[in-house]
Amino acid sequence: MGPKTRILDATMLVFRRHGFRRSSIEQVAEAAGLTRQALYHHFESKEALFRAVIERIHESAIAAEEAAVAEAETAGGNLGDILAAGMTARMSTMIGSLDGSPHLEELYSEHLVHARDLYQTYAARYAERMVATIARNVRRQQLALPQDLSPAEFARLVEMSMYAAKSQYPAMQPADAFLKDMAIMVRTLCAGVVPKSEKPPTKKAAPAKKPTRRTTGGQS
């Protein structure tokens, strides 16, 4: 294990135990078995440590989501199964990274203060992967998305279902209930996705009739 990995492992431990505000460089150095000067050789501040931890969590979440999606696709799951599996793996990884901390809400709020740019970057990456997953399975399974939505439009609705579930569970706790409700919402949304062969034909609107001018007393 290299020094950087040791430092990040120690940082996760300290942040889970003390939260962001009450954690210090000295606590991380002690947990990593390093001097403060040695730690500063790799990270210049507590904020830099926090950003590195957030980036590590997101990278782990992306890897977990990709693996779960691949497994569900290999098993022949429908679109709802595939998307629910991927999102559950993603969110489980994020929740598990801070599991047992009494400072979850603080850590999530500080995440947006000190790493908002990372949040936006990874939100875009999650969205790109979601769109690719939907497009790939729509093509493979010959599916029709509801309301003639594009994969990008449908992906946005799926992501919104996750945020809706989050709004009901502060700090995504209890985790089991949050993950269950999120998966139900994703599968319910995907229930509107049908094979193209089952999609009813789109009715063309009848052309509007031109108004006729009424005549009175022989005058037009």
Side-chain angles (χ1 to χ4, degrees), residues 18-91:
H18 303 289
F20 176 80
R21 299 184 192 104
R22 295 187 178 183
S23 295
S24 67
I25 288 285
E26 289 80 7
Q27 289 168 332
V28 174
E30 182 180 355
L34 299 171
T35 65
R36 180 174 176 173
Q37 289 71 25
L39 191 150
Y40 274 127
H41 178 71
H42 299 279
F43 296 95
E44 62 184 10
S45 65
K46 183 173 75 170
E47 289 73 21
L49 280 169
F50 190 62
R51 286 175 60 85
V53 163
I54 294 300
E55 191 167 9
R56 184 196 219 190
I57 290 173
H58 280 301
E59 288 295 336
S60 296
I62 284 177
E65 183 172 27
E66 289 182 342
V69 164
E71 183 178 351
E73 287 181 344
T74 300
N78 59 35
L79 185 61
D81 293 335
I82 292 167
L83 296 183
M87 292 185 71
T88 298
R90 181 209 306 181
M91 301 312 298

Side-chain angles (χ1 to χ4, degrees), residues 12-13 15-16 53-54 56-58 60-61 90-101 104 107-108:
M12 289 290 294
L13 177 66
F15 284 153
R16 278 200 302 262
V53 163
I54 294 300
R56 184 196 219 190
I57 290 173
H58 280 301
S60 296
R90 181 209 306 181
M91 301 312 298
S92 294
T93 300
M94 290 185 171
I95 294 169
S97 65
L98 301 172
D99 186 40
S101 173
L104 282 176
L107 290 169
Y108 286 133

Side-chain angles (χ1 to χ4, degrees), residues 2-20:
K4 194 167 183 178
T5 300
R6 284 169 54 198
I7 292 170
L8 291 180
D9 287 346
T11 303
M12 289 290 294
L13 177 66
V14 170
F15 284 153
R16 278 200 302 262
R17 184 175 298 165
H18 303 289
F20 176 80

